[in-house]
Amino acid sequence: MSEKEKMNQDGVQEQAKETKPAKTEKAKADKPKAAKEKKPGFFKRLGRFFRELKAELKKVAWPSGSDTLKKTGIVILCVIVVGVIVWIFDGIASAVIDALLSLFGS
């Protein structure tokens, strides 16, 4: 058996607890402070954000003007078609409700 393992009276192995030196605990406590001090200022982070934003927008595949007009026309046409369908169903529902009210209404 190794020095770190011991057998207790029931025959179960127990691990000996290792003690950590106080220096590592102190070093760990100092790390968050050091990391916080190295954090760049607000305006540097804001400037980096806008530089990265500009770089990402350069990577975007922008559509051409004619392609944009075609797709805009398709969207407008679809909105009109759906509006007409809703208008028709609304007229039918209104007529049905009026007919039911005239039959059973007082």
Side-chain angles (χ1 to χ4, degrees), residues 37-82:
E37 291 173 4
K38 291 183 182 180
K39 188 175 181 180
F42 174 75
F43 291 107
K44 285 186 180 182
R45 288 184 288 153
L46 189 64
R48 188 178 75 205
F49 170 76
F50 282 113
R51 281 192 305 274
E52 291 174 0
L53 178 69
K54 184 178 177 182
E56 288 296 322
L57 287 176
K58 286 182 180 179
K59 295 177 186 178
V60 174
W62 296 101
S64 65
S66 62
D67 192 32
T68 304
L69 285 176
K70 287 178 187 175
K71 291 180 181 181
T72 302
I74 291 170
V75 168
I76 291 172
L77 181 66
C78 288
V79 167
I80 290 172
V81 168
V82 169

Side-chain angles (χ1 to χ4, degrees), residues 89-106:
F89 280 120
D90 182 53
I92 292 171
S94 177
V96 168
I97 290 172
D98 287 341
L100 289 173
L101 287 175
S102 66
L103 283 176
F104 300 110
S106 52

